[in-house]
Amino acid sequence: KIRSKIGMHMRLVFVLHCVMKEIAFRWNNPNKKLRITEDELHHAITYLLVNLNVECSITSDDTETQRYIIGLTRALSELPYYDEPTELHCIKKLRSDKDDTVDADCGIQKAQACWIRQLQQIPQLSLQIALNIAKYYPTPKSLWDMYQSNELDIYQKRALLAHILGEIDNDDPTTNTCSSGRVMVKMSDDIYRFMTSDDPME
């Protein structure tokens, strides 16, 4: 029996050492009156976990039992050094691309690389599309300034990025050459509203 403490929660862990061998032995020995089946054992294990928060681990021999206890002890000893999981742990990690890996000494290029990764957080916005936007607007401020320009009306601002989003890189065989114009206009409008809307739910 092992008592583990994870955060503020206590949990008992029962190590059922050679329990399957014991069940087989009792069924083969007529002098043993207390007999259970493997299904009954698994039902009991499920009941303990669901109703009493007691975990059971079945081991087949001394080596497996020792390995389990060592692994559990190590996991518990390392637990205080792990960060508490948050919603951000569910965010997909963006792959690094050689085209946006820049010299750490160049401030504008660092900002552009960060801007490219920020753009990729927008649904359906691929790396190639983010690179197209960054080619014309290398920082968020450059795009923001264009959205604030008095020379463009609201419709022009919403469709500002449509032609940029649809640009095709002929050297990239993975680029989709069948991108719909309406999709590009819709995505351009989404980016505009994302950067200018005061509604946090939009």
Side-chain angles (χ1 to χ4, degrees):
K1 182 174 69 173
I2 302 173
R3 184 184 300 270
S4 65
K5 184 175 182 180
I6 302 176
M8 299 301 295
H9 304 283
M10 298 291 295
R11 170 177 289 186
L12 287 176
V13 179
F14 290 160
V15 180
L16 305 180
H17 176 66
C18 298
V19 66
M20 305 307 292
K21 293 180 180 179
E22 179 64 21
I23 290 176
F25 172 75
R26 288 177 176 271
W27 278 100
N28 293 327
N29 191 334
N31 296 325
K32 298 291 185 179
K33 296 183 179 180
L34 181 58
R35 301 175 183 175
I36 63 173
T37 64
E38 291 187 15
D39 287 340
E40 290 173 333
L41 173 65
H42 290 299
H43 286 318
I45 291 175
T46 303
Y47 176 85
L48 289 173
L49 180 61
V50 173
N51 294 280
L52 302 178
N53 197 32
V54 175
E55 182 178 346
C56 297
S57 178
I58 298 176
T59 59
S60 59
D61 52 37
D62 294 342
T63 301
E64 188 175 348
T65 300
Q66 182 182 23
R67 189 184 304 116
Y68 175 79
I69 294 176
I70 292 175
L72 181 62
T73 302
R74 180 173 181 176
L76 292 175
S77 64
E78 294 176 349
L79 192 62
Y81 302 98
Y82 288 104
D83 295 331
E84 190 72 19
T86 66
E87 293 86 351
L88 295 179
H89 287 73
C90 300
I91 299 298
K92 179 180 67 173
K93 293 184 178 180
L94 300 176
R95 69 178 180 87
S96 177
D97 188 89
K98 61 181 180 181
D99 294 331
D100 57 30
T101 302
V102 296
D103 187 352
D105 295 331
C106 186
I108 184 64
Q109 289 185 333
K110 286 179 60 179
Q112 185 179 20
C114 179
W115 172 227
I116 290 170
R117 286 178 168 79
Q118 289 175 332
L119 287 170
Q120 287 181 266
Q121 297 296 330
I122 299 175
Q124 300 182 349
L125 202 153
S126 66
L127 173 62
Q128 182 59 52
I129 293 177
L131 290 171
N132 288 347
I133 296 175
K135 182 168 63 175
Y136 290 89
Y137 303 101
T139 63
K141 186 178 186 304
S142 61
L143 180 57
W144 171 260
D145 290 341
M146 185 59 68
Y147 283 147
Q148 301 305 309
S149 173
N150 295 325
E151 299 178 359
L152 302 177
D153 59 34
I154 184 65
Y155 301 104
Q156 291 174 316
K157 292 177 181 179
R158 288 186 171 183
L160 178 65
L161 300 178
H163 72 286
I164 298 175
L165 298 177
E167 285 186 357
I168 302 301
D169 184 357
N170 294 326
D171 296 330
D172 185 359
T174 63
T175 303
N176 182 9
T177 58
C178 301
S179 299
S180 168
R182 284 188 296 178
V183 172
M184 297 298 102
V185 172
K186 174 65 168 59
M187 186 176 295
S188 176
D189 183 60
D190 290 343
I191 296 174
Y192 171 78
R193 289 185 290 105
F194 172 76
M195 294 193 64
T196 62
S197 176
D198 294 329
D199 184 1
M201 303 302 294
E202 187 172 11

